[in-house]
């Protein structure tokens, strides 16, 4: 191989873009015995249901506190100066 000469490598499979090549990648698994492999069938995690209890209780306490302040401000006589 001289100066500037091309060196060719053996052909290999490479990603060329979705729908642009002639081959698809496949993954296969082989059963090797209980506890002998690296992969197993697992359950998909369940989505956590959201509980809005804390938000509702916190909001209710906040509204009640504001309402209490408003009622107290109406009941108390205004300050007077001499």
């Amino acid at each position: 191989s001289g100066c500037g000469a091309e060196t060719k490598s053996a052909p290999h499979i490479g990603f060329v873009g979705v729908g642009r090549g002639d081959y698809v990648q496949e993954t296969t698994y082989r059963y090797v015995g209980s506890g002998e492999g690296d992969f197993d069938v697992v359950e998909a995690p369940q989505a956590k249901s959201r509980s809005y209890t804390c938000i509702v209780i916190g909001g209710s306490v906040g509204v009640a506190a504001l309402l209490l302040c408003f009622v107290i401000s109406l009941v108390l006589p205004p300050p007077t100066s001499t």
Side-chain angles (χ1 to χ4, degrees), residues 3-55:
C3 185
E6 279 188 29
T7 57
K8 292 190 176 187
S9 63
H12 63 280
I13 299 289
F15 182 74
V16 294
V18 177
R20 299 186 64 187
D22 296 329
Y23 296 89
V24 295
Q25 183 177 11
E26 293 182 349
T27 302
T28 60
Y29 298 94
R30 181 173 53 92
Y31 182 76
V32 292
S34 179
E36 297 297 318
D38 299 326
F39 296 90
D40 205 348
V41 178
V42 295
E43 295 289 327
Q46 297 292 325
K48 292 183 180 179
S49 62
R50 293 188 176 170
S51 174
Y52 295 104
T53 305
C54 291
I55 294 172

Side-chain angles (χ1 to χ4, degrees), residues 53-64:
T53 305
C54 291
I55 294 172
V56 171
I57 291 174
S60 299
V61 169
V63 169

